[in-house]
Amino acid sequence: MTIEINLNELGRVQYLTEVLPEIPTNTILYKKLTGLGATYGEITAKRNSIIIEPNVPVIIGKCNDPKHKDDNLFGVYEGVYTDDIIKYLEKSKNKYYKILTTPESFQKVKDAFEELEMSAHCSCFLLFDECHKLVKDADYRNNITLPIDDFFKFDQKALVSATPIELNDPRFKEQNFQTIEIQPTFDYKKEIWLHHTNNTLQAFKDTLSKLNNEEAAPLPICVFINSTDIIYSLMKQLDLLEDSAVFCAPKSVDKLGRNKFTNAYEQYSIDKMKRYNFFTSRFFNAVDIELEQKPHVIMLTDVYFAEHTMIDPYTDAIQMVGRFRNGVSSITHISNVKEGIPQRTKEEIKGYIVCSKEIYRTMKNFYDCAADRASRDAYRAALESLPFNKMLDRNGRENWFAIDNYIDEELMKNYYYDKGSLNEAYDNCDSFIS
């Protein structure tokens, strides 16, 4: 199903609620553009809502947003306990529940409802925001999928993302999920400059020099790199420490603090920004950054230093640029490539998974039939070393999001094999002109 969205008389994009007043149940909403107000629409919808957000900064940002001061929002994350949620529910009996929670804290929400002998499954609409993160983060953040079994038990539920990834969990078909695609009627592609290099430090230095020389009045420069080690190295070697701020996870804040860098924060706010602002993956998605000026956006990938700095043109790049609600002045992606990265088609990757699964099943059968403890210990050790073991959940069942993550990660490696591959990926992406 496709729904068109237009520009209004003022040249602004319509809000999602203007074309879709409420998100229907059993829906994957592919909104294509960031900032359409999908979360806003659910917060203001006349129904009880539980909204699962990927990270804490998003929740804090929504709860502190003045436009939501009358919407009875309650954020749940580390440090907020079941008793706190119970108190919120008890004092909200004449209001709609509007609970924003991280995936890891969802169990506390569930426990609070059960403590009050209430059914969240029947009484609330569950929205999984930025659902592509279920796949993107599944390899290093196992608990992100903890709410998914409960998700399918809700009477009313949906997932939303501007950059969804194919989901292969069979329960989506079993429960007849539909995909609603929001199709802009206008050209929304943004120009991006790809800077291929063998020296990311020099390329970054050249890019900053170019931006600084072109401007009469300096604009903020926002840099997205999924590595605090690279960030610190850039700041130190280019003498940017005094003019920089870093927004990252708490452990990275502590790590930078040990290097005597004090402008590192786990929560974003505009008053903490400097001339140069660095963001790690914690801030790639969903956080609203509203600036009066349109910043320059720089994305940096160094595949030799760390493969996790790879940026996916179809998801990561779109999300990063989408953080800036009032637009950007320029977009640059600095990257090196690595010809030794394996190249595999989607069919080859899926074939590898099927074969890995069969090997695991065979070894599991040997384990189940082992006649003595020594044999079972040997087979258990072999099972734990098999690749497919990483694609199982804590109960030994297939973790479909881990499988989807493996497919997605392997396909992304194809973009960083040579210059042409990354250029082609951006050329095939609906959101950019390279």
Side-chain angles (χ1 to χ4, degrees), residues 25-293:
T25 189
N26 288 28
T27 293
I28 300 173
L29 180 61
Y30 176 15
K31 60 181 185 173
K32 287 205 170 180
L33 301 177
T34 58
L36 286 185
T39 312
Y40 175 86
E42 189 54 43
I43 288 172
T44 57
K46 297 185 183 303
R47 60 189 179 193
N48 297 320
S49 307
I50 300 172
I51 304 172
I52 300 177
E53 294 287 357
N55 291 304
V56 176
V58 185
I59 296 174
I60 291 176
K62 299 289 185 191
C63 291
N64 291 339
D65 192 329
K67 67 174 174 279
H68 292 309
K69 62 183 176 65
D70 298 321
D71 289 324
N72 196 35
L73 294 193
F74 188 75
V76 182
Y77 40 84
E78 186 177 5
V80 178
Y81 302 102
T82 301
D83 287 346
D84 301 318
I85 305 166
I86 290 172
K87 291 175 184 176
Y88 163 79
L89 293 172
E90 287 177 333
K91 72 178 184 181
S92 300
K93 289 185 177 178
N94 297 320
K95 301 177 181 178
Y96 290 113
Y97 308 136
K98 299 294 175 180
I99 298 173
L100 280 69
T101 179
T102 59
E104 292 84 353
S105 289
F106 175 80
Q107 183 63 43
K108 292 182 284 190
V109 177
K110 183 182 172 184
D111 291 344
F113 274 88
E114 291 177 353
E115 188 77 20
L116 294 172
E117 297 183 349
M118 300 163 59
S119 172
H121 296 151
C122 298
S123 62
C124 295
F125 188 96
L126 181 61
L127 180 65
F128 220 121
D129 196 16
E130 307 296 346
C131 64
H132 62 281
K133 298 290 282 180
L134 280 165
V135 175
K136 282 288 182 184
D137 291 2
D139 56 340
Y140 71 93
R141 189 179 167 191
N142 295 334
N143 290 340
I144 195 170
T145 58
L146 282 179
I148 204 67
D149 286 340
D150 272 292
F151 173 83
F152 287 106
K153 295 175 183 176
F154 274 74
D155 294 339
Q156 300 182 83
K157 55 194 175 292
L159 305 100
V160 61
S161 175
T163 56
I165 298 170
E166 181 183 357
L167 301 173
N168 288 302
D169 191 314
R171 290 174 289 187
F172 288 110
K173 286 186 178 179
E174 291 166 4
Q175 296 195 15
N176 298 313
F177 268 71
Q178 64 172 337
T179 297
I180 296 179
E181 183 177 309
I182 305 301
Q183 180 59 54
T185 60
F186 51 90
D187 183 11
Y188 59 94
K189 288 191 174 184
K190 295 180 174 64
E191 187 174 5
I192 185 169
W193 183 54
L194 301 183
H195 190 154
H196 296 289
T197 181
N198 291 323
N199 187 332
T200 52
L201 172 65
Q202 186 61 46
F204 184 70
K205 181 179 180 180
D206 293 344
T207 300
L208 294 187
S209 178
K210 179 183 176 184
L211 294 176
N212 290 331
N213 290 336
E214 287 179 352
E215 296 175 350
L219 295 172
I221 293 175
C222 296
V223 188
F224 292 86
I225 311 173
N226 194 25
S227 168
T228 47
D229 288 333
I230 294 179
I231 290 171
Y232 185 75
S233 176
L234 292 174
M235 292 190 300
K236 187 174 182 180
Q237 294 189 59
L238 299 182
D239 195 23
L240 305 177
L241 289 167
E242 294 298 319
D243 296 319
S244 296
V246 180
F247 301 93
C248 53
K251 288 182 180 179
S252 296
V253 171
D254 294 340
K255 185 176 182 179
L256 290 168
R258 289 193 292 273
N259 287 324
K260 311 299 182 186
F261 181 78
T262 57
N263 296 325
Y265 311 98
E266 60 181 281
Q267 304 298 337
Y268 165 80
S269 66
I270 191 170
D271 59 289
K272 295 171 182 173
M273 291 185 70
K274 298 273 193 175
R275 166 69 167 145
Y276 306 103
N277 305 279
F278 296 85
F279 299 86
T280 62
S281 61
R282 181 178 171 89
F283 295 89
F284 285 9
N285 302 267
V287 177
D288 294 343
I289 301 178
E290 297 185 10
L291 305 175
E292 292 183 6
Q293 299 170 301

